[in-house]
Amino acid sequence: MLGCSLSPDPRGVGFVPSMDSSAQMGVQESVDLLHGVVAELGRALSVRVLVIKGPTLARQGLRARRWSTDVDVLVEPNRLPDLLAGLAACGFETQSSGTVWELLSSHAVQVRHELFSAPVDVHFALPGLLGEPAKVFELLWEDSVQEVFAGCSVSVPSTVDHALVAVVAELRTPQSRADLTDKTEELARNLVQVAGDEGVSVLATRAESLGCRWSAHPLLRSVLGVRRKRDSGVPLRAIVAWQFRRCLGGNFTGAAGEALMSGRVGQPWRHALRALWPSEADLLSLGDVAGTDALAMIRYRLRRITRILPTPGRSSGEHSRGR
């Protein structure tokens, strides 16, 4: 048995793991214990923390049990520095390459402790949930439920909200269409089974509130049979930025970033070009194109680009109103 427990931190910032010097913490043991460690630390600092993805999805019946190699948490955005400071005081170190690609795509900070074989990704925003991050967190927190890890109560999104989080996370990383379809359909079947009619009935409303009715469309289409729809209050440029992020691998520091840095651009740039100059099918899927002839499509694409890209003398608010 692992000689590991949560012990009060003498510096007064929460809890730190105490282990026998001969113990070796495996990846799965690390993942389970880190859920409890971060949750307890958040409570000690009065910082709200939601655990997302990973084994919590299996606990809620949204997917089959998989081996997780890291821990993902979402912190209320304005308290990120407080949680990171608490983690640092407990011996966690921030993992960052400091590259321009990482800075441009930043939505999380990864920390690691020498006793654990798994890192913790501390998210302050979730790509694909295109609502304002603070509002998104509040909505997720209000409907959150409790799970228990390492004897500690952990807050996780509700089943419906977590399904939306899961599908945009899957969409963020490029993969084969067949693989994505299989995962989306599996998630949809499981959601219908565990959430029932009541849960399914609020899926579209929750997606609209979280700003992901467009980005989580594959799940909504599979469960509800609805067409893709723009979220009210989400500027078109935010949707295009999400498309860029998705096409370039979610994080520029991943394989896509390496390809860009080495000049081996290949497929990612072709996807990025498609995001700037969408096909007719893509434009029609947005549901706000007037006319379907070739000239009308070209004019719409040009207007679309001018609304998205910065123009001297126009504020971001004016861009939003020009949707």
Side-chain angles (χ1 to χ4, degrees):
M1 174 179 283
L2 266 153
C4 184
S5 62
L6 295 180
S7 301
D9 177 15
R11 288 159 293 197
V13 295
F15 294 82
V16 293
S18 61
M19 296 179 60
D20 296 341
S21 59
S22 61
Q24 295 293 319
M25 180 72 75
V27 175
Q28 293 311 306
E29 292 87 352
S30 295
V31 168
D32 286 344
L33 185 55
L34 281 169
H35 281 75
V37 168
V38 178
E40 286 296 310
L41 179 60
R43 271 189 284 274
L45 297 171
S46 297
V47 175
R48 292 177 296 170
V49 176
L50 284 168
V51 174
I52 56 175
K53 302 188 290 183
T56 57
L57 287 171
R59 293 272 192 101
Q60 291 178 302
L62 290 172
R63 76 175 188 192
R65 174 72 177 180
R66 302 177 189 171
W67 294 112
S68 298
T69 57
D70 62 2
V71 173
D72 291 282
V73 301
L74 177 67
V75 61
E76 46 186 319
N78 65 329
R79 300 299 305 279
L80 173 68
D82 299 321
L83 184 64
L84 291 179
L87 287 165
C90 289
F92 287 84
E93 296 183 353
T94 301
Q95 307 293 303
S96 173
S97 63
T99 65
V100 65
W101 306 110
E102 184 171 15
L103 296 174
L104 285 172
S105 65
S106 180
H107 61 274
V109 178
Q110 187 176 95
V111 299
R112 186 182 289 273
H113 195 288
E114 63 181 356
L115 297 179
F116 299 107
S117 301
V120 179
D121 288 335
V122 183
H123 297 256
F124 49 89
L126 294 177
L129 301 188
L130 304 178
E132 199 276 318
K135 178 184 177 183
V136 166
F137 182 88
E138 292 298 333
L139 288 169
L140 294 176
W141 182 263
E142 287 173 3
D143 280 5
S144 63
V145 295
Q146 300 297 304
E147 293 288 344
V148 176
F149 285 89
C152 302
S153 183
V154 172
S155 297
V156 303
S158 69
T159 302
V160 170
D161 288 350
H162 218 168
L164 293 168
V165 170
V167 74
V168 297
E170 292 287 358
L171 288 167
R172 191 166 57 86
T173 304
Q175 52 193 297
S176 72
R177 182 177 296 274
D179 185 43
L180 178 59
T181 299
D182 289 345
K183 289 181 177 179
T184 302
E185 290 182 352
E186 176 194 7
L187 182 62
R189 288 194 303 270
N190 292 338
L191 175 62
V192 171
Q193 182 174 351
V194 300
D197 293 340
E198 182 178 355
V200 169
S201 68
V202 300
L203 179 63
T205 302
R206 293 300 290 181
E208 178 80 18
S209 299
L210 295 168
C212 65
R213 181 154 184 164
W214 188 90
S215 50
H217 174 249
L219 179 65
L220 274 71
R221 180 182 58 200
S222 183
V223 175
L224 302 174
V226 298
R227 294 182 56 191
R228 190 187 299 273
K229 179 182 177 182
R230 284 263 300 280
D231 304 280
S232 60
V234 175
L236 183 58
R237 66 178 184 278
I239 293 177
V240 173
W242 151 251
Q243 184 73 355
F244 262 99
R245 188 176 220 137
R246 176 188 172 190
C247 293
L248 293 176
N251 284 314
F252 289 107
T253 49
E258 294 174 6
L260 293 172
M261 293 291 283
S262 64
R264 295 178 286 105
V265 294
Q267 191 68 21
W269 274 123
R270 287 197 290 274
H271 284 310
L273 179 60
R274 180 180 174 183
L276 262 185
W277 195 263
S279 66
E280 178 179 327
D282 288 342
L283 287 176
L284 290 174
S285 73
L286 290 173
D288 58 357
V289 181
T292 57
D293 62 280
L295 184 57
M297 289 290 181
I298 291 174
R299 287 173 175 168
Y300 180 80
R301 290 185 181 101
L302 291 174
R303 289 198 304 271
R304 187 170 180 267
I305 291 175
T306 60
R307 290 199 300 264
I308 297 165
L309 300 180
T311 303
R314 293 179 66 186
S315 67
S316 60
E318 290 171 331
H319 282 291
S320 297
R321 290 191 295 274
R323 286 193 296 123

